[in-house]
Amino acid sequence: MASTGASPPLKSIFSNGLKSITSHALNTDLDAQKSQIRDVHSHIPIDTRVAVKQQHLDDDEILALAGYKHELKRHFGPFNMVGVAFSIMSVLPSIASVLGQCYSINGALWGWLIASCCIFCIGLCMSELASAIPTAGGLYYWTYHYSPDWLRVPLSFVVGNTNSIALTGALCSIDYGFAKEILSIVYIAKDGDFEITDPITYGVYVACIVSHVITACIASYGVAKLQSLSVVCNVALVIFFVIVLLVGTKHKNNAEWVFANTQNLTDWPTGWAWVYNGFMPAIWTIGAFDSCVHMSEEAHNATKNVPIGILGSISATGSLGFIILIVCSFCINPDLNSVISTGSGQPMAQLIYDALGKRWTIAFMVLIAICQWLMGASTITATSRQIWAFSRDNGLPFSSIVKVVNSKLKVPIRAIIFGGILAVLLGLLCLIGPTAANALFTLYICGNYFAWQTPIILRLYRTWDKNPETRFKPGTFYLGDIMSPIVNMFTVLFTNFTIIMAMFPTSRTVDKETMNYTIVITGGTWLLSAAYYFLYAHKTYHGPRNTLNSADPADSIDGEKADHIDQVLESSEDEKFRSA
């Protein structure tokens, strides 16, 4: 393709010329960049509420206040923002993936309801942070911004790495669930004359990852429409599922069995089994709302629409999930053990088979698998934005390659490919067996809950800061001076409880089959991230970079907008001087 006069020279695409793989991996070219590093004690505070309501800055100018040049195309409205998280959660396919745990104790639907309300509190806290500083890096940026000086760089590095790997773990668990669903369809279609092995499962899993990478690269320009399609498909599937299952099931359980009966199939005490198996399915399902944060640089009116996306997706998924579990409880075979231990490996498939027969089972599992595939396509999109944002700040190996945005499509194609490769490598756990593969589910939970709670704790620290210059400044979404600290403190307690609970084994008798390897994988992620930072990355990662003053002309903000921002900042300084 011939280059135009406005196009940068070819060597700029590869960060000032071709370098060795080692140079890219270790980011050794960073000394040449000399970009300004933002300081949490800057004399120019980020006050998004004032910027929006009084100074009338647009999205790109607000992003520039955070130090970033806008690089991605904004095409997400409020419905699209709800859609990106809701489509990743994909309530019916997600419940299908964790139904076995739901019915390890009957009555877990009440645990779903309680956990959904607790997760909504996390969404409230995250919405406050996203409204205050809407940026794709979100979690690690907020960690850096609100941390004490001595802690901000290493802690933001660990949070950024953890969030990147946890989101990749989410993609792994979704596509692993897709592989299990596809194979269950084959098993049922062949009347059980098919052996589901770990290598076959991994093969289907890798094929799914590859298809998602290709789709995300090709369809990135229309990614907002993909989210809308996924929302419509998922809602239609839920309605269809509820109607057909209620009408088609001849022998239903009574209301007392559904709402009041407790049948514990685990060896844990009933109380703990009820909490663990009631909370964890909701926690795993309603867990992708931070994707709205990672898409914030592609959203219109981000300070408003990101909170709408977070809270709307949590509410919709929690409500629909509760309805689905009630319907399943009325229609499930009361012999729960036969459903959980089905040879197809999919309790949802067995539930439908018992209620409606073979043909309906195959039809529903195909529809669920399609929505699960769309779920993975949305997930790799959000994951790639976090990977791109962290690479933009030189937080990952090969950052100089991964952070490059396709100049024509305005999408981070290299970050998409990087996320796919990482998912294929993490998915090798599938070859060990279901127990190790299940660690992908809880890696996603523990990693994300750690990354979510860290800026919430630090935001509380800044809320009570005696220095008004560094005190937390809310955005357009704010619960108020009384309710906000209360909700934030409750959220910190719940997230810590969840991290501990997610590391419990499924049985009190622990062996290689029942061991929960999450503590090994997640703990290893934290330890290796910290070790990598102190051994090498501290030389290259210094916190979020200011891309407004980058030496690369392609990384500079539009001159007219820069002048507007300068005028606003100067007027803010004059007002502060006069008030003093």
Side-chain angles (χ1 to χ4, degrees):
M1 179 182 295
S3 61
T4 64
S7 301
L10 180 60
K11 68 176 184 178
S12 68
I13 299 176
F14 294 98
S15 302
N16 298 321
L18 295 174
K19 294 179 282 295
S20 67
I21 293 297
T22 303
S23 175
H24 282 302
L26 299 180
N27 302 322
T28 54
D29 62 318
L30 296 183
D31 289 339
Q33 297 177 6
K34 300 295 184 183
S35 57
Q36 177 184 347
I37 305 300
R38 283 183 299 279
D39 190 338
V40 73
H41 298 298
S42 169
H43 65 284
I44 304 175
I46 300 174
D47 195 334
T48 310
R49 186 159 52 177
V50 172
V52 171
K53 294 185 177 180
Q54 298 180 20
Q55 298 164 346
H56 307 295
L57 298 188
D58 65 19
D59 288 305
D60 294 354
E61 292 166 335
I62 291 172
L63 183 63
L65 290 179
Y68 289 129
K69 178 187 76 70
H70 182 243
E71 298 181 70
L72 306 178
K73 183 176 178 63
R74 293 189 185 274
H75 45 228
F76 279 74
F79 181 77
N80 303 125
M81 292 305 292
V82 173
V84 69
F86 182 76
S87 59
I88 293 175
M89 297 180 197
S90 290
V91 58
L92 183 56
S94 293
I95 289 178
S97 297
V98 295
L99 194 72
Q101 184 169 16
C102 290
Y103 287 105
S104 292
I105 180 168
N106 189 34
L109 62 90
W110 296 114
W112 174 284
L113 182 63
I114 295 172
S116 297
C117 294
C118 295
I119 295 167
F120 189 80
C121 290
I122 301 176
L124 290 171
C125 299
M126 191 178 293
S127 295
E128 287 188 327
L129 289 166
S131 181
I133 310 177
T135 175
L139 302 169
Y140 77 87
Y141 182 98
W142 302 331
T143 299
Y144 177 86
H145 188 72
Y146 297 121
S147 289
D149 287 348
W150 62 273
L151 186 60
R152 59 184 177 178
V153 177
L155 186 56
S156 67
F157 180 83
V158 172
V159 168
N161 266 286
T162 301
N163 190 217
S164 300
I165 295 174
L167 286 170
T168 307
L171 176 63
C172 293
S173 61
I174 289 167
D175 284 3
Y176 179 74
F178 172 83
K180 299 286 285 185
E181 287 164 1
I182 290 294
L183 294 174
S184 72
I185 294 170
V186 177
Y187 180 90
I188 293 170
K190 293 192 173 185
D191 296 317
D193 187 22
F194 178 74
E195 184 180 0
I196 301 175
T197 65
D198 294 331
I200 292 176
T201 302
Y202 181 70
V204 177
Y205 164 86
V206 171
C208 184
I209 293 287
V210 171
S211 70
H212 283 145
V213 170
I214 294 172
T215 302
C217 289
I218 294 175
S220 284
Y221 194 71
V223 69
K225 295 181 180 179
L226 182 64
Q227 312 312 318
S228 300
L229 172 65
S230 183
V231 170
V232 172
C233 289
N234 274 282
V235 173
L237 178 59
V238 169
I239 295 172
F240 185 55
F241 175 82
V242 168
I243 293 174
V244 172
L245 200 62
L246 286 176
V247 173
T249 304
K250 296 181 180 179
H251 304 290
K252 297 182 180 68
N253 300 309
N254 59 43
E256 181 181 1
W257 191 92
V258 172
F259 296 109
N261 181 56
T262 301
Q263 183 180 345
N264 185 6
L265 301 182
T266 74
D267 61 358
W268 286 106
T270 298
W272 174 249
W274 185 88
V275 172
Y276 181 76
N277 295 290
F279 280 28
M280 288 301 291
I283 289 168
W284 184 80
T285 300
I286 315 173
F289 46 88
D290 64 317
S291 57
C292 297
V293 173
H294 303 308
M295 304 299 291
S296 61
E297 293 182 34
E298 297 170 73
H300 298 292
N301 196 5
T303 59
K304 178 181 178 181
N305 288 336
V306 173
I308 289 175
I310 293 171
L311 299 177
S313 59
I314 293 174
S315 301
T317 305
S319 301
L320 289 175
F322 188 62
I323 293 171
I324 290 170
L325 285 177
I326 291 175
V327 172
C328 288
S329 295
F330 273 110
C331 300
I332 196 172
N333 183 342
D335 182 8
L336 296 179
N337 194 52
S338 67
V339 177
I340 295 173
S341 305
T342 175
S344 68
Q346 268 293 317
M348 177 62 82
Q350 188 63 47
L351 185 154
I352 300 172
Y353 186 89
D354 292 339
L356 304 175
K358 178 179 176 179
R359 292 184 178 180
W360 275 110
T361 302
I362 294 174
F364 267 118
M365 292 309 296
V366 168
L367 294 174
I368 289 173
I370 291 172
C371 286
Q372 183 104 351
W373 187 90
L374 289 171
M375 180 182 179
S378 299
T379 302
I380 198 170
T381 300
T383 301
S384 67
R385 272 38 172 195
Q386 162 60 19
I387 291 173
W388 167 76
F390 201 46
S391 296
R392 176 178 59 181
D393 291 324
N394 302 309
L396 292 175
F398 301 100
S399 286
S400 57
I401 296 176
V402 177
K403 68 184 176 184
V404 175
V405 175
N406 183 282
S407 59
K408 183 178 180 180
L409 298 178
K410 298 295 183 182
V411 292
I413 288 179
R414 298 186 185 187
I416 294 171
I417 296 172
F418 183 88
I421 293 172
L422 185 58
V424 169
L425 295 176
L426 283 176
L428 289 171
L429 286 169
C430 297
L431 295 174
I432 300 176
T435 303
N438 286 337
L440 295 173
F441 286 70
T442 42
L443 164 65
Y444 153 64
I445 293 171
C446 293
N448 270 338
Y449 271 62
F450 168 78
W452 295 347
Q453 75 164 6
T454 302
I456 294 174
I457 294 171
L458 294 168
R459 169 251 196 264
L460 281 171
Y461 163 72
R462 289 295 177 189
T463 297
W464 296 309
D465 198 327
K466 294 181 180 179
N467 183 358
E469 288 295 317
T470 58
R471 193 174 298 155
F472 171 73
K473 294 177 176 60
T476 55
F477 179 87
Y478 184 50
L479 296 177
D481 293 340
I482 296 177
M483 284 303 301
S484 181
I486 293 174
V487 173
N488 277 264
M489 286 187 288
F490 171 78
T491 296
V492 171
L493 293 175
F494 176 71
T495 52
N496 278 286
F497 171 75
T498 298
I499 292 172
I500 295 171
M501 177 173 61
M503 294 187 180
F504 268 69
T506 56
S507 172
R508 287 197 295 182
T509 305
V510 180
D511 55 28
K512 66 178 182 179
E513 297 298 328
T514 59
M515 168 68 181
N516 188 340
Y517 293 95
T518 305
I519 192 169
V520 177
I521 297 174
T522 308
T525 299
W526 294 332
L527 291 175
L528 289 175
S529 295
Y532 178 63
Y533 172 79
F534 287 109
L535 290 175
Y536 182 81
H538 69 280
K539 302 175 185 178
T540 60
Y541 176 79
H542 306 290
R545 295 173 55 243
N546 187 330
T547 62
L548 301 177
N549 299 326
S550 174
D552 187 347
D555 282 346
S556 60
I557 196 169
D558 177 79
E560 182 179 345
K561 290 190 174 183
D563 291 340
H564 184 197
I565 294 166
D566 290 341
Q567 292 171 7
V568 170
L569 295 179
E570 288 173 4
S571 64
S572 298
E573 287 299 295
D574 291 342
E575 290 176 4
K576 287 169 60 180
F577 180 77
R578 286 194 296 269
S579 64

